[in-house]
Amino acid sequence: MKQIVNVKKGLFAAALLLTMLNLGCSKKNISAVGADGRYKLTVGRLGASSLISPMVLIATENKYFDKYNVDIDLKLMDSATSSEALSMGKMDAIYQELNQQMASADQGAKITIFAGNRSGGVYVIARKEDAEELYDIANWKGKTIGLIGPTTNIDYITDFVLRNDYGIDTDTEIKTFKLNDMVSLQQALKRGQVDITFADPLYCETLDEQGLTILYPLSHVQKDYVCCRQMAWTTAFEAKPDAYKNYLKAQILAYRDYYTDRNSAIKLLLAASGQDEDYVVNYIYDRSKNADKYFNPDPNYNGVLAQFKSMIRLGYTPGARELHEFFNISVYASALKEILQEYPGDPYFTGLKDLFLQNNNQYPDFEKTYKNYF
């Protein structure tokens, strides 16, 4: 996409620096099990309430990690150092935004993407007088799109969808305008500097008085688009896959509880986020109010692949490796298969099976491996 403000090179440079740092190695013990015979995993989480994983919270509260013989040491970490901490073995796993880690893994960092966490959570917005025209994505041709710099997954989602689904040449038929935050982008939209932009639900409460309106969630542009993923330190992931499999089995059980025991889920989110109940319900839990944000453990290789291709095309990462070289779906598939055997016919788990078959079928040899797997 042609950029009016070009600030895209920071991600590439940061990833390259991380890869250089990765030449050093951690001395952390990566034994498959501890002296007590239990699996041990150190898991990093960010402080931002929007990045809380309900599946990890519920699995801890309901003792599902205990059920599957896994001890979790959950550590708060800073987003600025999370990639380094993971790729150098200071953490066994993290769940957070995808882009920085994917760029680092592409350039050799010891990071493996292995499961999902969050999808959705952003609205597409426009001026009220343009809403009818721009509701049809084909009419975005020739428009200016407002984006947050230097880069977010929204860049890649829109670039991929417009080019592949609507035949729009995003290099010549779309302009982008980048600013540092959503408030500034809304002002740019109001002034007519951009035609379309994107907003977290938190920033949509005053749209009407500004003459702006929501078109739809970004999931209308790309269904089940990926945001935060679960990523592992590759050395540990390869050394103790059963630990990660059982870690995911606990989260799969928690996924069901998240949707069947609303009150308990909200109570846990209140305690973990430090927010009030209105915030938790409206901006984390309720998909009708939070821009279709929801949580599930499916890896969604297809969605990540679309973003990875756009990252390469736009110059954010070199494409030095194939995505499947640092993306694993087999451990999640094994965890889901065992849960299906343990809870035959459960609609939440059969739903995850259907989602897996739908969202990961572009993985190499998928048909051969998974056609009759479950």
Side-chain angles (χ1 to χ4, degrees):
M1 289 186 266
K2 182 178 179 182
Q3 294 188 10
I4 296 174
V5 179
N6 189 346
V7 289
K8 73 178 184 180
K9 297 303 181 184
L11 179 59
F12 182 94
L16 182 59
L17 175 61
L18 175 57
T19 303
M20 294 170 67
L21 288 170
N22 210 34
L23 293 174
C25 63
S26 170
K27 300 299 183 182
K28 181 179 176 180
N29 185 344
I30 55 170
S31 300
V33 295
D36 58 359
R38 294 176 63 81
Y39 298 115
K40 313 289 183 181
L41 290 174
T42 302
V43 179
R45 59 148 290 197
L46 301 184
S49 58
S50 62
L51 297 177
I52 289 171
S53 172
M55 295 175 294
V56 172
L57 293 174
I58 293 169
T60 301
E61 179 71 14
N62 292 349
K63 301 188 183 305
Y64 295 147
F65 291 127
D66 288 342
K67 172 181 171 69
Y68 294 115
N69 203 36
V70 182
D71 290 332
I72 299 299
D73 184 10
L74 193 62
K75 292 186 177 297
L76 194 65
M77 56 193 306
D78 190 294
S79 61
T81 58
S82 60
S83 293
E84 179 183 347
L86 180 65
S87 66
M88 298 184 71
K90 297 176 183 178
M91 299 287 172
D92 294 309
I94 61 174
Y95 48 92
Q96 70 169 107
E97 300 102 325
L98 177 65
N99 303 336
Q100 177 69 66
Q101 285 70 26
M102 188 153 59
S104 299
D106 178 36
Q107 296 171 71
K110 294 180 179 179
I111 295 172
T112 298
I113 305 165
F114 69 97
N117 179 36
R118 178 191 137 188
S119 298
V122 174
Y123 283 118
V124 183
I125 64 174
R127 290 180 293 277
K128 288 181 180 180
E129 63 266 27
D130 299 330
E132 184 176 355
E133 175 193 6
L134 295 177
Y135 190 90
D136 184 346
I137 298 170
N139 291 332
W140 292 16
K141 181 178 179 178
K143 304 301 183 182
T144 298
I145 299 176
L147 297 166
I148 294 178
T151 177
T152 70
N153 64 331
I154 298 171
D155 300 41
Y156 316 132
I157 294 163
T158 53
D159 182 74
F160 183 86
V161 170
L162 291 176
R163 294 181 73 87
N164 291 275
D165 295 350
Y166 292 90
I168 297 174
D169 184 341
T170 53
D171 291 328
T172 62
E173 296 175 326
I174 293 288
K175 292 180 181 179
T176 61
F177 186 87
K178 291 202 171 187
L179 292 170
N180 291 328
D181 59 79
M182 289 181 176
V183 173
S184 298
L185 283 171
Q186 287 186 20
Q187 291 302 309
L189 178 62
K190 185 178 177 180
R191 290 192 297 265
Q193 292 174 283
V194 303
D195 301 298
I196 302 149
T197 191
F198 306 88
D200 183 282
L202 281 170
Y203 295 92
C204 292
E205 294 181 353
T206 63
L207 290 183
D208 187 65
E209 62 194 60
Q210 298 182 73
L212 309 178
T213 190
I214 293 169
L215 297 180
Y216 30 65
L218 186 57
S219 56
H220 176 87
V221 178
Q222 185 184 58
K223 183 180 178 181
D224 196 27
Y225 73 86
V226 297
C227 174
C228 308
R229 300 290 91 181
Q230 298 192 56
M231 291 156 278
W233 177 35
T234 301
T235 302
F237 190 81
E238 293 175 348
K240 48 183 182 182
D242 283 350
Y244 290 88
K245 179 187 70 176
N246 284 15
Y247 174 60
L248 288 174
K249 287 173 69 175
Q251 290 187 57
I252 292 168
L253 289 190
Y255 165 83
R256 179 182 62 180
D257 290 359
Y258 181 69
Y259 292 104
T260 60
D261 190 354
R262 172 190 171 99
N263 290 338
S264 294
I266 290 174
K267 182 179 178 181
L268 286 173
L269 289 167
L270 281 169
S273 68
Q275 302 288 345
D276 60 29
E277 187 166 351
D278 284 344
Y279 177 95
V280 168
V281 171
N282 294 332
Y283 299 118
I284 298 180
Y285 195 88
D286 190 338
R287 290 178 67 175
S288 69
K289 299 178 181 179
N290 67 11
D292 200 29
K293 179 192 301 178
Y294 76 110
F295 298 84
N296 74 76
D298 182 77
N300 197 348
Y301 177 84
N302 298 0
V304 176
L305 180 62
Q307 290 194 32
F308 186 55
K309 287 179 177 179
S310 285
M311 287 178 71
I312 295 169
R313 199 194 76 76
L314 293 170
Y316 291 101
T317 193
R321 304 171 70 190
E322 297 291 335
L323 178 61
H324 65 82
E325 294 179 47
F326 55 92
F327 197 116
N328 180 287
I329 65 171
S330 65
V331 170
Y332 175 79
S334 179
L336 180 57
K337 182 176 182 177
E338 292 185 14
I339 291 294
L340 287 165
Q341 291 169 342
E342 187 175 354
Y343 299 90
D346 185 288
Y348 285 90
F349 305 142
T350 56
L352 283 179
K353 178 192 72 173
D354 294 340
L355 195 64
F356 176 82
L357 296 174
Q358 170 187 311
N359 282 353
N360 298 277
N361 58 18
Q362 294 178 42
Y363 199 87
D365 295 324
F366 185 88
E367 183 76 7
K368 178 181 176 182
T369 306
Y370 297 105
K371 181 179 180 181
N372 299 307
Y373 181 80
F374 295 105

